[in-house]
Amino acid sequence: MPLYEHVLIARQDLSNTQAEGLIEHFSTVLADNGGKVVENEYWGVRTLAYKINKNRKGHYAFLRSDAPSAAVQEMERLARLHDDVMRVLTIKVEEHKEGPSIQMQKRDERERGDRGDRGDRGERRDRDGDRGDRGERRERRDRDDRN
C-alpha cells in the first residue's frame, strides 16, 4: 500500500485532549477503510503564518499512514467537513523516516539549551583586533581628516 504523511491544523480554542481526539478519530477513519496509522505526533499549538478563519494559532497534528488512496480520500473529505479542522495537507512519500519528525527534533533542541551540542564560541577579538579591512578604512578616514 502507498505511504502518506498528513498534517492537520485544528482550531486554537480546542483543548489538548480534544485535538488529540481528532487524531484518534481520523486514525480510525483510515483503519475502517483498510489502512493503518504507523505513527502520530501532536505538535501542540503553533502560530500560523497568516490568519485562517480569523484564527492566528492552531493545534498541529502529524500522521504517518499506510493506506489505500480511497481511505486517504475519505479521511480528507471528512476532515474538510469537520468544523474543528482548518487545514489538511497530505503528501505521498516513498518511505517513512524512522524516529521523530523534524518539528519534534526542533523541540528537543530547544529544551537542551540555546547552544545545544555546538560548544563554546571561543575567544573573542578585542575592538582594535584584526577584523578584515575595517582598520584600513579607519586609517584612511583619519588621514583624510588631517588633510
Side-chain angles (χ1 to χ4, degrees):
M1 280 191 278
L3 304 174
Y4 296 95
E5 292 181 351
H6 314 275
V7 177
L8 301 166
I9 305 175
R11 291 181 312 135
Q12 67 184 4
D13 55 350
L14 297 177
S15 68
N16 290 351
T17 55
Q18 288 174 321
E20 290 173 358
L22 283 175
I23 296 171
E24 295 302 318
H25 172 68
F26 291 115
S27 298
T28 56
V29 168
L30 286 170
D32 291 345
N33 290 301
K36 66 176 182 175
V37 174
V38 177
E39 183 182 354
N40 64 32
E41 294 176 355
Y42 173 66
W43 292 346
V45 178
R46 302 179 142 261
T47 304
L48 302 171
Y50 53 90
K51 284 185 179 181
I52 300 174
N53 300 335
K54 300 181 182 178
N55 290 301
R56 291 190 180 275
K57 295 185 177 195
H59 290 272
Y60 279 72
F62 178 69
L63 302 165
R64 289 183 176 140
S65 68
D66 184 9
S69 63
V72 172
Q73 288 174 352
E74 179 65 13
M75 192 244 352
E76 285 183 333
R77 185 184 75 81
L78 292 174
R80 292 187 200 291
L81 292 173
H82 203 284
D83 291 334
D84 293 333
V85 177
M86 295 188 297
R87 290 284 192 273
V88 179
L89 173 70
T90 300
I91 299 173
K92 186 176 181 180
V93 293
E94 294 296 320
E95 64 180 344
H96 289 303
K97 296 190 178 181
E98 295 296 319
S101 64
I102 296 294
Q103 292 296 325
M104 295 303 280
Q105 290 174 7
K106 284 183 181 179
R107 180 177 292 169
D108 292 342
E109 288 174 6
R110 276 182 279 165
E111 291 171 359
R112 252 192 320 216
D114 55 342
R115 296 291 300 168
D117 293 334
R118 295 183 291 169
D120 293 331
R121 287 172 44 168
E123 290 187 34
R124 295 186 66 178
R125 296 179 294 230
D126 59 344
R127 290 195 145 246
D128 296 328
D130 182 25
R131 288 188 174 211
D133 66 338
R134 189 172 170 192
E136 294 173 13
R137 283 187 283 165
R138 190 177 292 150
E139 289 175 11
R140 258 188 266 136
R141 189 179 59 221
D142 292 343
R143 237 181 309 158
D144 292 342
D145 289 342
R146 284 186 219 139
N147 293 334

